[in-house]
Amino acid sequence: MSILDNRPGLAHEVEQVAEVAGYLWQKGWAERNGGNITVNVTEHVDDAIRAMPAISEPRAIGFTLPNLKGCYFYCKGTNKRMRDLARWPMENGSVIRILDDCAHYEIIADNPVAPTSELPSHLAVHNYLIGKGSDYKASVHTHPIELVAMSHCKKFLEKDVATRLLWSMIPETKAFCPRGLGIIPYKLPSSNDLAEATIKELGDYDVTLWEKHGVFAVDTDVMAAFDQIDVLNKSALIYIAAKNMGFEPDGMSDEQMAEMTTAFNLPK
Ligand code: 2HA
Ligand code: ZN
């Protein structure tokens, strides 16, 4: 028996996570247990799920997150591989319930797989998204090679320098990542500091670059969050390809960017 049985909506959410996990592995962005995904699945929760007993003891989140009262999340498991999650999502991830104190959670299905080490960041972000009335349900953290490489260069860590460069490599990037790439200076992985810094940047950006570590993206669903990272990394690859051919790419001109921004009604 699985919590996904006879629940096509919930099963679809988890299948989408598994599909994205496979892409992350294939792209070389998910070495070993690298990266994590959480999805707010509360809209798919019925009375039978609400009545399900816990299969773990209550565990502390590390924050008190009042907007998460009554929420349920599918979370990748800590120390689990994306390439395994792609095939067996309920053996490499689990569904958790936030307890009424909003400071603890428990695992309810299918197996007692402990959630991702970045759970504090992920849940604090979901708390923030709900608080501002956003319809975003998914967050993805991964290690895209070329974007991480760019984060080793000080120039690209200045506000919006990487965003402008990446947008200018191909018109689609601004169209499909219209808020650009926020920058988070290096912080210890899994730390509350990293979570807090990420939330601050998510006010202005859907995708943030964690210096020398990876990216963290949010969107309505896991596929959309993946797409935003994918278009940014594609631009990084075009930039690198040009550099490898021995020249600095011109990039789209300011006029071309402005024309596209108006034509597609994008934010300035
Ligand atoms: O879950 O990528 O940052 C593994 C990580 C932590
Ligand atoms: Zn990471």
Side-chain angles (χ1 to χ4, degrees):
M1 276 295 284
S2 167
I3 193 173
L4 306 183
D5 294 345
N6 302 315
R7 291 192 178 97
L10 183 59
H12 179 69
E13 295 286 351
V14 174
E15 281 159 16
Q16 299 265 101
V17 173
E19 185 176 333
V20 166
Y23 298 153
L24 300 180
W25 164 249
Q26 286 158 18
K27 285 181 162 291
W29 299 355
E31 72 292 343
R32 197 176 180 275
N33 63 321
N36 27 73
I37 300 175
T38 58
V39 182
N40 183 343
V41 295
T42 313
E43 68 184 290
H44 302 290
V45 167
D46 50 38
D47 287 343
I49 292 181
R50 274 184 281 273
M52 281 172 73
I55 55 171
S56 76
E57 72 290 359
R59 296 176 186 171
I61 298 168
F63 292 116
T64 300
L65 302 168
N67 301 331
L68 298 190
K69 195 167 180 149
C71 284
Y72 290 74
F73 296 88
Y74 171 83
C75 306
K76 174 185 175 277
T78 186
N79 261 318
K80 300 297 186 187
R81 299 178 177 90
M82 285 292 179
R83 64 180 190 263
D84 291 339
L85 193 154
R87 289 174 295 174
W88 305 295
M90 297 311 286
E91 280 76 41
N92 294 278
S94 56
V95 176
I96 65 167
R97 169 193 291 139
I98 306 298
L99 299 186
D100 282 348
D101 68 358
C102 297
H104 292 80
Y105 68 91
E106 58 194 15
I107 305 169
I108 60 157
D110 284 344
N111 300 293
V113 175
T116 158
S117 60
E118 300 287 2
L119 195 68
S121 301
H122 281 258
L123 290 184
V125 164
H126 286 291
N127 183 68
Y128 163 78
L129 292 170
I130 293 169
K132 71 170 191 176
S134 165
D135 60 352
Y136 282 14
K137 297 273 162 45
S139 54
V140 174
H141 163 60
T142 187
H143 303 160
I145 301 165
E146 292 77 17
L147 291 173
V148 175
M150 286 179 77
S151 82
H152 286 262
C153 175
K154 284 210 169 42
K155 154 176 94 167
F156 295 133
L157 299 176
E158 285 167 29
K159 189 172 168 61
D160 294 334
V161 171
T163 295
R164 278 194 296 271
L165 175 78
L166 296 170
W167 277 352
S168 80
M169 287 296 104
I170 179 171
E172 273 79 355
T173 302
K174 186 170 184 189
F176 298 121
C177 185
R179 302 178 81 210
L181 182 62
I183 305 291
I184 317 277
Y186 184 83
K187 304 263 186 301
L188 183 70
S190 315
S191 63
N192 289 357
D193 275 0
L194 181 56
E196 280 160 9
T198 303
I199 286 168
K200 247 190 182 156
E201 287 300 293
L202 288 177
D204 294 325
Y205 304 92
D206 289 343
V207 189
T208 63
L209 180 60
W210 290 352
E211 180 184 345
K212 298 170 192 152
H213 180 167
V215 301
F216 189 100
V218 292
D219 210 319
T220 47
D221 61 34
V222 66
M223 208 57 80
F226 167 76
D227 281 336
Q228 292 214 49
I229 304 168
D230 195 29
V231 296
L232 288 168
N233 202 69
K234 171 70 176 263
S235 276
L237 282 165
I238 294 168
Y239 175 71
I240 291 161
K243 298 287 276 188
N244 282 345
M245 289 176 211
F247 63 90
E248 181 76 23
D250 290 340
M252 293 162 60
S253 66
D254 290 348
E255 292 72 31
Q256 289 165 341
M257 288 301 304
E259 178 193 41
M260 204 209 38
T261 300
T262 308
F264 291 91
N265 204 13
L266 303 172
K268 291 271 174 329

